[in-house]
Amino acid sequence: MTEQYVLDLQEIDESQVAVVGGKGAHLGSLARIEGIRVPAGFCVTTDAYRRVVAPSPSLDAQLEELSRVSPDDQEAIRTLSAEIRRTVEEIAVPDDLAGAITRALAQSGERTAYAVRSSATAEDLPTASFAGQQDTYLNVVGPAAILQHISRCWASLFTERAVTYRRRNGIDDRTVRMAVVVQQMVFPHASGILFTADPVSGNRTVATVDAGFGLGEALVSGLVNPDVFKVRHGEIVARTISAKQREVHALPDGGTREVPIDAQRQEQPALTDAQAVRLVELGRRIEARFGRPQDIEWCLVDDDFHIVQSRPITTLFPVPESADQENHVYVSVGHQQMMTDPMKPLGLSMWQQTAMVRMHEAGGRLFVDVTRRLASPASRAGLLDLMGRGDPLVRDALETVLDREDFVPSLPDAPPTGPRAGAAPEPVETDPAIVTGLIERSQASLAALRHDVLTKTGLELFDFLPTAFEEHKRVLTDPLNFKAIMAGMEATWWLNDKLEEWLGEKNAADTLTLSAPGNVTSEMGLALLDVADVIRPHPQVVEFLAGVEDDDFLDELAKVPGGTEARDAIEAYLDRYGMRCVGEIDITRPRWSERPGTLVPVILDNVRNFEPGAARRRFEQGLRQARKKEQEVLSRLRALPDGERKADETKGMIDRVRTFIGYREYPKYDIISRYFVYKQALMAEAGRLAQAGVLAEKEDVFYLTFEEFHDVVRTRQIDDRLVRQRKDAFRAYQALTPPRVLTSDGEALSGAYRRDDVPDGALIGLPVSTGTVEGRARVILDMAEADLEAGDILVTTFTDPSWSPLFVAVAGLVTEVGGLMTHGAVIAREYGLPAVVGVEQATRRIRDGQRIRVHGTDGYIEILS
């Protein structure tokens, strides 16, 4: 194929990113939209870039060296990227290439002023905008100057900020190419940025226009505060006019300069309301062409808008797809399940296959549509009460939506057809045999699944699994299962409400539930203390484990004195709990059985921080505290008016909560146990496909839905392009923070506590486990990096059951996500740890090593140093 060094913008469309880069492709597409004016120009293609850099062995060596530098080594990145830029700028432009550029310039006259703008192949993409990462030069005049600035644009591919940005987005420096857009300058009266969706709230119906006088560089560089217009459905809904003291002008001989604005113009709006509305109409046309919200750079010349750039807004959280145009309100599943990280497609679809309600995907996360329940007054009250008890921030976010009376339709209550929707089920007896029976039936069903799945491969496996999913749901939807879970939760709420009313004591149930029987998650943390007891007497085992760097260490461990007992203890632990891991609702996450090295730091912390028998002593201590608290509460109640009745009711509820609260954790254990069986069968199938050459690697199936995986088994073919796209999308989703509540307009709401009863500067959260503790904050985002000492306070994003082994070693807990009945809160109470959850940006606002005080009764954190 003949190399093309120069293409006119009119010849370009968005399919040519590899040739003209992201900016060039977008500009070419913009120029094809009816009614959109784009300044004329051409693109110096990536073929030209390749032609220039190909003969440079020194550049190849520098790029190879850069690829080996750690992303965290900013000094090395700074030094190497500067060297690479010098190398590129010093390469002479070949005569034939210079001639092609000069001939393109001659069509507009040699003294025409141009903007020379970088356009990298990894730029203005749906998953990474790269805004501002490479260079643009304005008002460049004359062929020599333009050739020089083209070389500078090529070199700007390797600015420190561009290299760092690529690392964060998983893009190899050696695979990126640079094109350069050369466009005729326009000299605007005003210019600025148009966001076709509100970049702060995410609302897709609200467009935001930032406007200033002169060239847009004044706004981009932060030289002036812009005028801001917000436009919704063709009307200005908000307007802020700023004092604009300076603007950027083009100079006759090239270049730009800042100039002061006359005092009488400074507070004049840069646009009229009508112009702002007209600009947004153009923006909506551009948005429709590209199929997603856009960040658009514009210039106003003689009342005509010229569009000089459009790129996707990559920071917006995506909106679930809907089959209608109605308003919808979605609640985050991840905030309920303590897993707000993105999930891979197989993980998403497996959770959807086995969930009790329909779930919608957006941004690699799952959401439940609660619009119908909010629309009916009867179900609305129950939903808000349930959400408020679990996570007040979700309730507040939902109430914020409801306050906009036009968003959620008001529907009549459905006529009664049996038990009222949202009504409490008939109560279950306080009988430990109920829990025992539920667990036995669950284990028998799980054993049958393990037995049956062993005989299935290929299409037979995919025919069998839907039946297994139905059994999975049957076990979980057993009415008795739901009643047992609710019995423990409702007894907790009753005790907290009544004992605060009668005795003025907050969260009394926290102590009354210590060492409750049958809590599989708290038992998991204590069992790892028992593993440490086996290891502690053997110094060579401890030394060996301290040097473990991978997951294939168990066989080698057996060769160390004392290692056989240590290995047996670890394997016994994995037999019972090895299906667990952080983010365990995503079936694609590696389980402890697959990566046992994850547990090694926690085991070593337990060896160092505890004495033998710590698990038994801790359980017995909790039991003593709970019994003492029970006696104290009942004694105080009997001294009140009508005290015998109150004491008798309270005693019944204490017995009830201790019978059922431990079972709260069992259904999740059952789900994750089943997930591990599914995963082992599916990955065995993926291994066979990889061995047959159908898959490049077996983990590629993580980027397929369950149905797509089934199709690959059936057809023996896979769409490699789809897998690559899904991998890119997953990387992009990792940079997004999911909201607690999301609307179909795209508005992301996280809620607020609206409290004024905390000290100034305190971080507010939800109190979930009573007590106050002061200690060193340990900000830990990866369990495998735990390095804890007695008295430390764990600060992390979220805690699912897999974090409970860390809970035994800490004195308190702070998380960004959580509710009163989420797993982390339940286990914090079980272990008697003061805990505050739902603290916005806790892992950023609290630094590792800071001294903090956690007020677990009142729900706030003080930073002491």
Side-chain angles (χ1 to χ4, degrees):
M1 185 173 121
T2 307
E3 290 187 332
Q4 290 183 290
Y5 295 142
V6 174
L7 286 174
D8 191 276
L9 285 181
Q10 296 291 336
E11 301 176 71
I12 295 168
D13 63 35
E14 61 204 293
S15 69
Q16 293 167 277
V17 171
V19 178
V20 297
K23 188 181 283 110
H26 270 245
L27 284 168
S29 296
L30 282 168
R32 294 164 181 259
I33 303 173
E34 186 177 350
I36 301 299
R37 296 191 62 174
V38 176
F42 59 89
C43 191
V44 181
T45 68
T46 54
D47 286 341
Y49 172 81
R50 271 195 296 267
R51 170 76 191 282
V52 169
V53 301
S56 175
S58 62
L59 181 60
D60 289 341
Q62 288 169 330
L63 287 173
E64 180 64 31
E65 187 178 353
L66 182 62
S67 72
R68 294 194 296 268
V69 171
S70 164
D72 300 324
D73 191 346
Q74 284 301 120
E75 186 57 42
I77 290 174
R78 184 177 301 117
T79 302
L80 266 172
S81 58
E83 290 175 8
I84 292 169
R85 287 197 305 278
R86 279 195 298 274
T87 299
V88 173
E89 284 191 42
E90 288 167 2
I91 298 173
V93 179
D95 290 344
D96 59 334
L97 174 53
I101 294 169
T102 303
R103 285 191 295 277
L105 291 170
Q107 294 179 16
S108 303
E110 284 202 353
R111 301 310 296 172
T112 299
Y114 288 88
V116 182
R117 314 170 70 196
S118 58
S119 179
T121 52
E123 182 175 71
D124 293 354
L125 304 179
T127 56
S129 75
F130 276 74
Q133 299 307 313
Q134 283 97 32
D135 290 344
T136 286
Y137 301 96
L138 299 179
N139 201 33
V140 184
V141 179
I146 286 170
L147 285 170
Q148 180 186 31
H149 285 84
I150 288 171
S151 287
R152 287 181 180 172
C153 281
W154 288 331
S156 76
L157 192 59
F158 300 101
T159 61
E160 180 187 350
R161 64 181 183 272
V163 170
T164 301
Y165 192 92
R166 284 196 291 272
R167 294 295 179 87
R168 288 183 187 145
N169 285 275
I171 297 168
D172 188 335
D173 298 303
R174 292 168 293 186
T175 64
V176 184
R177 301 286 180 266
M178 177 69 85
V180 181
V181 174
V182 182
Q183 271 181 294
Q184 291 181 25
M185 279 288 294
V186 292
F187 301 101
H189 158 73
S191 58
I193 311 290
L194 161 63
F195 297 97
T196 64
D198 190 313
V200 177
S201 73
N203 194 324
R204 270 53 164 189
T205 68
V206 177
T208 301
V209 177
D210 289 2
F213 293 123
L215 292 169
E217 291 303 288
L219 297 189
V220 174
S221 64
L223 184 65
V224 297
N225 291 324
D227 297 338
V228 180
F229 301 83
K230 290 190 181 291
V231 180
R232 187 169 189 256
H233 301 320
E235 293 184 3
I236 303 284
V237 294
R239 178 196 303 102
T240 303
I241 306 303
S242 300
K244 300 168 288 294
Q245 296 178 334
R246 305 184 74 75
E247 61 184 316
V248 175
H249 274 192
L251 297 173
D253 295 324
T256 61
R257 73 172 178 187
E258 299 171 16
V259 296
I261 296 174
D262 293 341
Q264 64 269 28
R265 284 181 66 224
Q266 287 181 6
E267 297 194 19
Q268 289 180 7
L271 294 178
T272 65
D273 286 1
Q275 286 171 331
V277 169
R278 180 155 52 92
L279 175 61
V280 170
E281 289 171 357
L282 295 175
R284 293 289 178 220
R285 204 175 299 175
I286 294 167
E287 179 183 68
R289 172 69 179 78
F290 292 121
R292 58 185 297 155
Q294 297 288 301
D295 163 358
I296 298 166
E297 294 181 22
W298 56 269
C299 296
L300 180 66
V301 183
D302 298 329
D303 202 37
D304 267 346
F305 285 105
H306 296 248
I307 304 301
V308 295
Q309 188 162 331
S310 183
R311 60 169 74 92
I313 308 175
T314 59
T315 55
L316 296 176
F317 200 88
V319 178
E321 290 184 11
S322 172
D324 57 43
Q325 298 300 309
E326 302 298 319
N327 290 345
H328 293 273
V329 182
Y330 303 96
V331 171
S332 164
V333 172
H335 284 81
Q336 315 301 312
Q337 290 293 336
M338 297 297 93
M339 169 40 185
T340 53
D341 291 346
M343 297 166 69
K344 296 185 178 78
L346 185 61
L348 290 165
S349 69
M350 287 293 287
W351 194 259
Q352 288 170 309
Q353 293 272 349
T354 53
M356 304 304 132
V357 295
R358 188 178 175 213
M359 293 183 177
H360 305 262
E361 184 273 330
R365 281 83 168 182
L366 291 170
F367 294 84
V368 172
D369 187 343
V370 296
T371 318
R372 184 65 183 81
R373 292 181 68 185
L374 287 175
S376 164
S379 57
R380 179 191 308 145
L383 177 68
L384 291 175
D385 182 59
L386 186 65
M387 291 295 175
R389 284 188 176 274
D391 184 345
L393 293 177
V394 173
R395 176 173 184 146
D396 183 80
L398 290 173
E399 288 177 333
T400 300
V401 176
L402 288 169
D403 286 344
R404 295 166 195 151
E405 296 177 359
D406 61 338
F407 192 82
V408 177
S410 185
L411 300 175
D413 293 332
T417 55
R420 181 171 62 82
E426 288 297 314
V428 65
E429 287 182 71
T430 302
D431 181 359
I434 291 171
V435 170
T436 305
L438 283 167
I439 291 174
E440 286 175 351
R441 288 196 289 281
S442 165
Q443 289 177 337
S445 172
L446 183 59
L449 171 66
R450 288 191 177 114
H451 174 270
D452 293 345
V453 84
L454 283 175
T455 63
K456 310 291 191 292
T457 60
L459 291 174
E460 193 181 2
L461 172 66
F462 283 86
D463 289 340
F464 166 75
L465 283 174
T467 308
F469 300 158
E470 289 307 310
E471 169 65 5
H472 177 129
K473 289 190 270 193
R474 186 196 66 77
V475 171
L476 290 173
T477 54
D478 179 343
L480 193 57
N481 179 55
F482 180 65
K483 288 179 182 180
I485 293 169
M486 291 307 298
M489 293 169 66
E490 288 167 350
T492 301
W493 297 336
W494 189 97
L495 286 166
N496 282 336
D497 291 347
K498 291 297 184 182
L499 295 181
E500 183 166 9
E501 177 189 341
W502 292 338
L503 300 176
E505 185 167 341
K506 289 184 179 179
N507 302 324
D510 292 2
T511 307
L512 293 167
T513 53
L514 289 172
S515 298
N519 188 321
V520 68
T521 306
S522 65
E523 288 168 359
M524 178 172 68
L526 297 177
L528 207 59
L529 289 175
D530 292 335
V531 173
D533 285 354
V534 174
I535 289 168
R536 192 178 291 105
H538 303 290
Q540 288 169 283
V541 171
V542 174
E543 184 182 356
F544 174 87
L545 290 175
V548 165
E549 293 182 353
D550 55 43
D551 296 301
D552 301 324
F553 67 89
L554 288 171
D555 287 339
E556 289 299 312
L557 175 59
K559 300 173 185 176
V560 177
T564 302
E565 300 96 305
R567 182 193 62 187
D568 291 348
I570 293 171
E571 287 183 338
Y573 185 87
L574 292 173
D575 285 344
R576 182 159 168 79
Y577 304 112
M579 79 294 290
R580 311 217 81 148
C581 68
V582 174
E584 60 193 8
I585 69 168
D586 182 353
I587 198 172
T588 72
R589 290 284 189 110
R591 312 283 130 176
W592 289 344
S593 286
E594 296 166 327
R595 287 201 186 158
T598 304
L599 293 174
V600 169
V602 189
I603 294 170
L604 292 173
D605 282 347
N606 288 349
V607 168
R608 185 175 69 249
N609 294 331
F610 293 93
E611 296 295 323
R616 185 190 71 256
R617 284 196 305 277
R618 174 168 281 221
F619 186 83
E620 290 171 351
Q621 179 188 2
L623 203 54
R624 286 194 300 272
Q625 286 179 258
R627 287 171 176 163
K628 182 181 176 185
K629 185 68 175 179
E630 177 181 339
Q631 291 167 1
E632 175 214 317
V633 163
L634 296 178
S635 174
R636 290 171 63 194
L637 287 172
R638 290 190 183 102
L640 299 175
D642 197 19
E644 285 300 329
R645 178 189 64 80
K646 291 173 179 173
D648 287 348
E649 286 184 15
T650 301
K651 171 61 176 166
M653 281 297 177
I654 292 172
D655 291 346
R656 191 167 179 78
V657 80
R658 292 193 66 80
T659 297
F660 291 111
I661 199 64
Y663 183 70
R664 163 76 178 81
E665 294 294 299
Y666 195 85
K668 184 72 170 284
Y669 177 78
D670 177 84
I671 290 170
I672 301 307
S673 297
R674 291 173 189 276
Y675 264 40
F676 193 39
V677 177
Y678 305 150
K679 181 176 186 180
Q680 287 173 307
L682 289 170
M683 293 316 291
E685 197 59 42
R688 285 187 280 272
L689 290 170
Q691 205 165 15
V694 176
L695 301 176
E697 52 187 19
K698 64 181 184 179
E699 286 78 12
D700 281 352
V701 296
F702 291 165
Y703 298 93
L704 304 176
T705 64
F706 178 76
E707 296 83 356
E708 289 165 347
F709 191 173
H710 188 178
D711 286 342
V712 172
V713 171
R714 185 172 48 80
T715 64
R716 313 293 285 180
Q717 291 182 325
I718 188 169
D719 184 345
D720 293 325
R721 189 173 58 85
L722 176 67
V723 170
R724 285 196 301 275
Q725 288 174 347
R726 296 265 177 85
K727 287 180 178 179
D728 289 342
F730 179 74
R731 275 196 296 269
Y733 295 154
Q734 288 176 305
L736 299 176
T737 300
R740 284 175 167 80
V741 171
L742 182 65
T743 73
S744 49
D745 281 350
E747 189 171 8
L749 301 110
S750 290
Y753 287 108
R754 308 186 193 284
R755 291 174 54 188
D756 55 10
D757 59 342
V758 299
D760 289 344
L763 309 184
I764 301 174
L766 176 66
V768 295
S769 186
T770 55
T772 301
V773 65
E774 186 177 311
R776 180 180 67 153
R778 292 309 321 275
V779 180
I780 298 174
L781 303 180
D782 183 348
M783 201 173 139
E785 295 174 3
D787 181 14
L788 297 166
E789 294 178 4
D792 283 348
I793 296 169
L794 174 62
V795 181
T796 191
T797 313
F798 58 80
T799 57
D800 57 15
S802 70
W803 285 79
S804 66
L806 287 188
F807 284 22
V808 300
V810 297
L813 174 69
V814 178
T815 69
E816 294 181 350
V817 177
L820 193 62
M821 281 297 169
T822 49
H823 300 277
V826 171
I827 304 307
R829 291 194 290 273
E830 175 75 14
Y831 287 164
L833 300 178
V836 180
V837 303
V839 182
E840 286 287 285
Q841 298 188 330
T843 58
R844 297 179 208 174
R845 296 162 75 187
I846 300 172
R847 293 195 309 276
D848 187 53
Q850 276 188 313
R851 195 153 189 82
I852 64 173
R853 186 182 295 129
V854 177
H855 295 263
T857 306
D858 295 313
Y860 64 91
I861 296 101
E862 292 179 281
I863 297 176
L864 305 177
S865 66

